[in-house]
Coordinates of all heavy atoms in Angstrom, one line a residue:
C1210 N 146.4 -69.2 163.0 CA 146.0 -70.1 164.0 C 146.4 -71.6 163.6 O 146.8 -71.8 162.5 CB 144.6 -70.0 164.4 SG 143.5 -70.5 163.0
K1211 N 146.2 -72.5 164.6 CA 146.3 -73.9 164.2 C 145.1 -74.4 163.3 O 143.9 -73.8 163.4 CB 146.3 -74.7 165.5 CG 147.4 -74.5 166.4 CD 147.5 -75.4 167.6 CE 146.4 -75.1 168.6 NZ 146.6 -75.9 169.9
P1212 N 145.4 -75.3 162.5 CA 144.3 -75.7 161.5 C 142.9 -76.2 162.2 O 141.9 -75.8 161.7 CB 145.0 -77.0 160.8 CG 146.5 -76.7 160.9 CD 146.6 -76.0 162.3
D1213 N 143.0 -76.7 163.4 CA 141.8 -77.2 164.0 C 141.0 -76.1 164.7 O 139.9 -76.3 165.2 CB 142.0 -78.3 164.9 CG 143.0 -77.9 166.1 OD1 143.5 -76.8 166.1 OD2 143.2 -78.8 167.0
E1214 N 141.6 -74.8 164.6 CA 140.9 -73.7 165.3 C 140.4 -72.8 164.2 O 139.7 -71.7 164.6 CB 141.9 -73.0 166.1 CG 142.3 -73.8 167.4 CD 143.3 -73.1 168.3 OE1 143.8 -72.0 167.9 OE2 143.5 -73.5 169.5
S1215 N 140.6 -72.9 162.9 CA 140.3 -71.9 161.9 C 138.7 -71.7 161.8 O 138.2 -70.6 161.5 CB 140.9 -72.2 160.6 OG 140.5 -73.3 160.0
K1216 N 138.0 -72.8 161.9 CA 136.5 -72.8 161.8 C 135.9 -71.9 163.0 O 135.1 -71.1 162.7 CB 135.9 -74.1 161.8 CG 136.1 -74.9 160.5 CD 135.3 -76.2 160.4 CE 135.5 -76.9 159.1 NZ 134.8 -78.1 158.9
Y1217 N 136.5 -72.1 164.1 CA 136.1 -71.3 165.3 C 136.3 -69.8 165.1 O 135.5 -69.0 165.3 CB 136.8 -71.7 166.6 CG 136.7 -70.8 167.7 CD1 135.5 -70.8 168.5 CD2 137.7 -69.9 168.0 CE1 135.4 -69.9 169.6 CE2 137.7 -69.0 169.0 CZ 136.5 -69.0 169.8 OH 136.4 -68.1 170.9
W1218 N 137.6 -69.5 164.6 CA 137.9 -68.1 164.4 C 137.1 -67.5 163.2 O 136.9 -66.2 163.3 CB 139.5 -68.0 164.2 CG 140.1 -68.0 165.5 CD1 140.9 -69.0 166.1 CD2 140.1 -67.0 166.6 NE1 141.4 -68.6 167.3 CE2 140.9 -67.4 167.6 CE3 139.5 -65.8 166.6 CZ2 141.0 -66.7 168.8 CZ3 139.6 -64.9 167.8 CH2 140.4 -65.4 168.9
F1219 N 136.8 -68.2 162.3 CA 136.0 -67.7 161.2 C 134.7 -67.1 161.7 O 134.3 -66.0 161.4 CB 135.7 -68.8 160.2 CG 134.9 -68.4 159.0 CD1 135.4 -67.6 158.0 CD2 133.6 -68.7 159.0 CE1 134.6 -67.2 156.9 CE2 132.8 -68.4 157.9 CZ 133.3 -67.6 156.8
D1220 N 134.0 -67.9 162.6 CA 132.7 -67.4 163.2 C 132.9 -66.2 164.0 O 132.1 -65.3 164.1 CB 132.1 -68.6 163.8 CG 131.5 -69.6 163.0 OD1 131.2 -69.3 161.8 OD2 131.4 -70.8 163.4
Q1221 N 134.0 -66.2 164.8 CA 134.3 -65.1 165.7 C 134.6 -63.8 164.9 O 134.1 -62.7 165.3 CB 135.5 -65.4 166.6 CG 135.4 -66.5 167.6 CD 134.4 -66.2 168.6 OE1 134.4 -65.2 169.2 NE2 133.4 -67.1 168.7
L1222 N 135.3 -63.9 163.7 CA 135.6 -62.7 163.0 C 134.4 -62.0 162.4 O 134.2 -60.8 162.6 CB 136.6 -63.1 161.9 CG 138.0 -63.5 162.3 CD1 138.9 -63.7 161.1 CD2 138.6 -62.6 163.4
W1223 N 133.6 -62.8 161.7 CA 132.4 -62.1 161.1 C 131.5 -61.6 162.2 O 130.8 -60.5 162.0 CB 131.7 -62.9 160.1 CG 131.0 -64.2 160.5 CD1 131.5 -65.5 160.3 CD2 129.8 -64.3 161.2 NE1 130.6 -66.4 160.8 CE2 129.6 -65.7 161.3 CE3 128.8 -63.5 161.7 CZ2 128.4 -66.1 162.0 CZ3 127.7 -63.9 162.4 CH2 127.5 -65.3 162.4
Q1224 N 131.4 -62.3 163.3 CA 130.5 -61.8 164.4 C 131.0 -60.5 164.9 O 130.2 -59.6 165.4 CB 130.5 -62.9 165.5 CG 129.4 -62.6 166.6 CD 128.1 -62.6 166.1 OE1 127.5 -63.6 165.6 NE2 127.2 -61.6 166.3
N1225 N 132.3 -60.2 165.0 CA 132.9 -59.0 165.4 C 132.3 -57.8 164.6 O 132.0 -56.8 165.1 CB 134.4 -59.0 165.4 CG 135.1 -59.8 166.5 OD1 134.5 -60.0 167.5 ND2 136.2 -60.3 166.2
T1226 N 132.3 -58.0 163.3 CA 131.8 -57.0 162.4 C 130.3 -56.7 162.6 O 129.8 -55.6 162.6 CB 132.0 -57.3 160.9 OG1 133.5 -57.6 160.7 CG2 131.6 -56.3 159.9
V1227 N 129.6 -57.8 162.7 CA 128.2 -57.7 163.0 C 127.9 -56.9 164.3 O 127.1 -55.9 164.4 CB 127.5 -59.0 163.1 CG1 126.1 -58.9 163.7 CG2 127.4 -59.8 161.7
D1228 N 128.6 -57.2 165.4 CA 128.5 -56.5 166.6 C 128.9 -55.1 166.6 O 128.3 -54.2 167.2 CB 129.4 -57.3 167.7 CG 128.8 -58.7 168.1 OD1 127.8 -59.1 167.6 OD2 129.6 -59.5 168.7
L1229 N 130.0 -54.8 165.9 CA 130.4 -53.4 165.7 C 129.2 -52.6 165.1 O 128.9 -51.5 165.5 CB 131.7 -53.3 164.9 CG 132.2 -51.8 164.8 CD1 133.7 -51.7 165.1 CD2 131.9 -51.3 163.4
F1230 N 128.7 -53.1 164.0 CA 127.7 -52.3 163.2 C 126.4 -52.1 164.1 O 125.8 -51.1 164.1 CB 127.4 -53.0 161.9 CG 128.3 -52.5 160.8 CD1 129.5 -53.0 160.6 CD2 127.9 -51.5 159.9 CE1 130.3 -52.6 159.6 CE2 128.7 -51.1 158.8 CZ 130.0 -51.5 158.7
R1231 N 126.1 -53.2 164.8 CA 125.0 -53.1 165.7 C 125.1 -52.1 166.8 O 124.2 -51.5 167.3 CB 124.6 -54.5 166.2 CG 124.1 -55.4 165.2 CD 122.8 -54.9 164.4 NE 121.7 -54.7 165.4 CZ 121.0 -53.5 165.4 NH1 121.3 -52.5 164.5 NH2 120.0 -53.4 166.2
S1232 N 126.4 -52.0 167.4 CA 126.7 -51.0 168.4 C 126.6 -49.6 167.8 O 126.4 -48.7 168.7 CB 128.1 -51.2 168.9 OG 129.1 -50.8 168.0
L1233 N 126.5 -49.4 166.5 CA 126.3 -48.1 165.9 C 124.9 -48.0 165.4 O 124.6 -47.0 164.6 CB 127.3 -47.9 164.8 CG 128.8 -47.8 165.3 CD1 129.7 -47.9 164.0 CD2 129.1 -46.5 166.1
D1234 N 124.0 -48.9 165.8 CA 122.6 -48.8 165.4 C 122.4 -49.0 163.9 O 121.6 -48.3 163.4 CB 121.9 -47.6 165.9 CG 121.9 -47.5 167.5 OD1 121.9 -48.6 168.1 OD2 122.1 -46.4 168.0
I1235 N 123.2 -49.8 163.3 CA 123.0 -50.0 161.8 C 122.6 -51.5 161.6 O 123.4 -52.4 162.0 CB 124.3 -49.7 161.1 CG1 124.8 -48.2 161.2 CG2 124.2 -50.0 159.6 CD1 126.2 -47.9 160.7
P1236 N 121.5 -51.7 161.0 CA 121.0 -53.1 160.7 C 121.9 -53.7 159.7 O 122.3 -53.0 158.7 CB 119.6 -52.8 160.2 CG 119.1 -51.5 160.6 CD 120.4 -50.7 160.7
V1237 N 122.2 -55.0 159.9 CA 123.1 -55.7 159.0 C 122.5 -57.1 158.7 O 121.6 -57.6 159.4 CB 124.6 -55.8 159.4 CG1 125.2 -54.5 159.5 CG2 124.6 -56.5 160.8
R1238 N 123.0 -57.7 157.7 CA 122.8 -59.2 157.5 C 124.1 -59.9 157.0 O 125.0 -59.2 156.6 CB 121.7 -59.4 156.5 CG 122.2 -59.0 155.0 CD 121.1 -59.5 154.0 NE 121.4 -59.2 152.6 CZ 120.8 -59.5 151.6 NH1 119.6 -60.2 151.6 NH2 121.2 -59.2 150.3
T1239 N 124.1 -61.2 157.2 CA 125.2 -62.0 156.8 C 124.8 -62.8 155.5 O 123.7 -63.3 155.5 CB 125.8 -62.9 157.8 OG1 124.7 -63.7 158.4 CG2 126.5 -62.1 158.9
L1240 N 125.7 -62.9 154.6 CA 125.5 -63.7 153.4 C 126.7 -64.8 153.3 O 127.8 -64.5 153.4 CB 125.5 -62.9 152.1 CG 124.4 -61.9 151.9 CD1 124.7 -61.1 150.6 CD2 123.0 -62.7 151.8
E1241 N 126.2 -66.0 153.0 CA 127.2 -67.1 152.7 C 127.6 -66.9 151.2 O 126.8 -67.0 150.4 CB 126.6 -68.5 152.9 CG 127.5 -69.6 152.6 CD 128.5 -69.9 153.7 OE1 128.1 -69.7 154.9 OE2 129.6 -70.4 153.4
C1242 N 128.9 -66.7 150.9 CA 129.4 -66.5 149.5 C 129.3 -67.9 148.8 O 129.8 -68.9 149.3 CB 130.7 -66.0 149.5 SG 130.8 -64.3 150.2
C1243 N 128.7 -67.9 147.7 CA 128.7 -69.1 146.8 C 130.0 -69.4 146.2 O 131.0 -68.6 146.2 CB 127.6 -69.0 145.8 SG 128.0 -67.9 144.4
S1244 N 130.1 -70.6 145.6 CA 131.4 -71.2 145.1 C 132.0 -70.2 144.0 O 133.2 -69.9 144.0 CB 131.2 -72.5 144.5 OG 130.2 -72.5 143.5
G1245 N 131.2 -69.6 143.2 CA 131.6 -68.9 142.1 C 132.1 -67.5 142.5 O 132.8 -66.7 141.8
D1246 N 131.7 -67.1 143.8 CA 132.1 -65.7 144.2 C 133.3 -65.8 145.1 O 133.8 -64.7 145.6 CB 130.9 -65.1 145.1 CG 131.0 -63.7 145.4 OD1 131.6 -63.0 144.6 OD2 130.6 -63.3 146.5
L1247 N 133.8 -67.0 145.4 CA 135.0 -67.1 146.2 C 136.3 -66.9 145.3 O 136.5 -67.6 144.3 CB 135.1 -68.5 146.8 CG 134.1 -68.8 147.9 CD1 134.3 -70.2 148.4 CD2 134.2 -67.8 149.0
A1248 N 137.2 -66.0 145.8 CA 138.6 -66.0 145.1 C 139.3 -67.4 145.3 O 139.0 -68.1 146.2 CB 139.4 -64.9 145.8
D1249 N 140.3 -67.6 144.5 CA 140.9 -68.9 144.4 C 141.5 -69.4 145.7 O 141.5 -70.7 146.0 CB 142.0 -68.9 143.3 CG 141.4 -69.1 141.9 OD1 140.1 -69.2 141.8 OD2 142.1 -69.0 140.9
L1250 N 142.0 -68.5 146.6 CA 142.7 -69.0 147.8 C 141.7 -69.3 148.9 O 142.0 -69.9 149.9 CB 143.7 -68.0 148.2 CG 145.1 -68.1 147.6 CD1 145.0 -67.7 146.2 CD2 146.1 -67.2 148.4
K1251 N 140.4 -68.8 148.7 CA 139.4 -68.9 149.9 C 138.7 -70.2 149.9 O 138.3 -70.8 148.9 CB 138.4 -67.8 149.7 CG 139.0 -66.4 149.8 CD 138.0 -65.2 149.6 CE 138.7 -63.8 149.7 NZ 137.7 -62.7 149.6
V1252 N 138.5 -70.7 151.1 CA 137.8 -72.0 151.3 C 136.3 -71.6 151.7 O 135.4 -72.4 151.3 CB 138.5 -72.7 152.5 CG1 137.5 -73.9 153.0 CG2 139.8 -73.3 152.0
K1253 N 136.1 -70.5 152.4 CA 134.8 -70.1 152.8 C 134.8 -68.7 153.1 O 135.7 -68.1 153.6 CB 134.4 -70.9 154.0 CG 132.9 -70.7 154.5 CD 132.7 -71.7 155.8 CE 131.3 -71.4 156.4 NZ 130.3 -72.0 155.5
S1254 N 133.6 -68.0 152.7 CA 133.5 -66.5 153.0 C 132.1 -66.2 153.4 O 131.2 -66.7 152.9 CB 133.9 -65.7 151.8 OG 135.3 -65.6 151.6
V1255 N 132.1 -65.2 154.3 CA 130.8 -64.6 154.6 C 130.9 -63.1 154.5 O 131.8 -62.4 155.0 CB 130.4 -64.9 156.1 CG1 129.3 -64.0 156.7 CG2 130.0 -66.3 156.3
D1256 N 130.0 -62.5 153.7 CA 129.9 -61.1 153.6 C 129.0 -60.5 154.6 O 127.9 -61.1 154.9 CB 129.4 -60.7 152.2 CG 130.4 -60.8 151.1 OD1 131.6 -61.1 151.4 OD2 130.0 -60.8 149.9
V1257 N 129.3 -59.3 155.1 CA 128.4 -58.5 156.0 C 127.9 -57.4 155.2 O 128.6 -56.7 154.6 CB 129.1 -58.0 157.2 CG1 128.2 -57.2 158.1 CG2 129.7 -59.3 158.1

């Protein structure tokens, strides 16, 4: 995507995973990955 749209798509992507698991009746949570857990190329990560 365009640079000014990547923050929007980031939130859309992890939400897709949350929605899929909830559609299968599986409880989930989201975690904000800390700086030391990020691979070198990553700016921001959320684990489901």
